[in-house]
Amino acid sequence: HGIRQLLSGWADGPAYLTQCPIQAGQTYAYNFTIVGQRGTLFWHAHISWLRATLYGAVVILPSKNSSYPFRKPHKEVPIIFGEWWNTDTESVINQAMQTGGGPNVSDAYTFNGLPGPLYNCSSNDVYKVRVKPGKTYLLRIINAALNDDLFFRISDHSLAVVEVDATYVKPFKTEFIVLTPGQTTNVLLRAKRNPASTTFLMAARPYATGAATFDNTTVAGILEYSLPKGSHVNNSVAGVQIPLLPPINGTGFVSNFSRRLRSLASAQFPAAVPKTVDRNFFFTIGLGTNPCPVNQTCQGPTNGTKFAASINNISFTTPTTAMLQSHFFGGGNGVYSTDFPTLPVTPFNYTGSPPNNSNVASGTKVAVLPFNATVELVLQDTGILGTESHPMHLHGFNFFVVGEGFGNFDPKNDPQKFNLVDPVERNTVGVPSGGWTAIRFRADNPGVWFMHCHIEAHMSWGLKMAWVVADGNQPNQKLPPPPADLPQC
């Protein structure tokens, strides 16, 4: 997740997009070279909801003889936000797809697999970060949860954000951070020189905007100081305060946090944001409905409907053949069509009164880009079934977040306020609830590249699409043929 996969699209991973699934008892070796990236990313399964437990950190260190653009930490600690499910997640999503209703929620959140002391059954399953007074620690934080943005805070400590999605940012101090599913960040934690206690709680809980149910619980871990023997400080866990987190619907807190993110834009780490644009796209994203099949009772948002999700009112139909193979050997070969709409087919007041018809169309459609074209894409949340934040993830590229706002995007006035100097560079961005985000990227990586909401329920309902980027004219701009062990359908 987040590796650019330059000319190595066969190692990107999403099922039926770049490869067919690896079958039981079979293997596939992912071979790729990491170019120009450093920081924290992660890996996860990319079919159905299997990434609920199949995930792990990817740590990319600075190249030899290079250093961090900040003080070298005493120690580095990966912390992965995940979930505990008492039910097989495949059963959860299969039931939801059958009934057309919303899926059941997880039973707990976890830090590195441990739910912590605030749940009834896990007082001994607590993740601990041990620190020494006065030392600086780099926390590599990953949100691998399936369906929830999460706030995170450590009691009585501040954090300095130094990197997001494996790109450095201008450091800034904050009391909390927020990560959508699919986002990663590095933060510096400076341990106190003279702590009043040996024990502090760190906690995470959801940021939720839609009408759907969510796991309204809090995961906690312990920041534990290692002090010299004979130190007279409180070392009891009893009575330790849970850190104050923003409200669950704290959209303003999220917006203020995201607006503070800026690229370093230095000589060593420039912000190569495209200043001119070759292709403009405007994508509406959000939830809608499909009619309930004949002779079936559905539990969708209205009588006789099932939940669906779409981009420009197209709900993506996953093919049964890998799209990258089809592109490489036959230009689509009937697996997909190249007529994904550049704009919404039927414009409406996207964040105002919803239209009478909430049904979506379906199809396996792609948007085609010439090699090296510069792209500006505006992602507009819609309120058809209520506004909601959507973490949109683009495979194969980093992009620059040049603007964001609330309400409907104004194509005349909003671009005048775009940041083309030091916009943050990401691979996953949270589109504001009831708002829009503008991103820019250069299509310098040939192949077929997935773009989707990283909320797994929304992706299951079809909030996804694909870009096809043509080969360039030079030999080093062409996608090589697939490896011999590529999984077949």
Side-chain angles (χ1 to χ4, degrees), residues 219-232:
V219 55
I222 291 176
L223 182 74
E224 186 175 79
Y225 277 79
S226 299
L227 299 179
K229 288 184 178 180
S231 300
H232 298 288

Side-chain angles (χ1 to χ4, degrees), residues 235-254:
N235 59 5
S236 172
V237 177
V240 174
Q241 295 296 310
I242 300 172
L244 183 64
L245 289 159
I248 282 173
N249 61 350
T251 296
F253 288 87
V254 175

Side-chain angles (χ1 to χ4, degrees), residues 2-9 11 30-37 60 445:
I3 300 292
R4 285 209 55 204
Q5 298 294 358
L6 286 164
L7 297 176
S8 56
Y30 291 89
N31 288 295
F32 54 92
T33 302
I34 298 173
V35 180
Q37 292 181 278
I60 310 167
N445 196 7

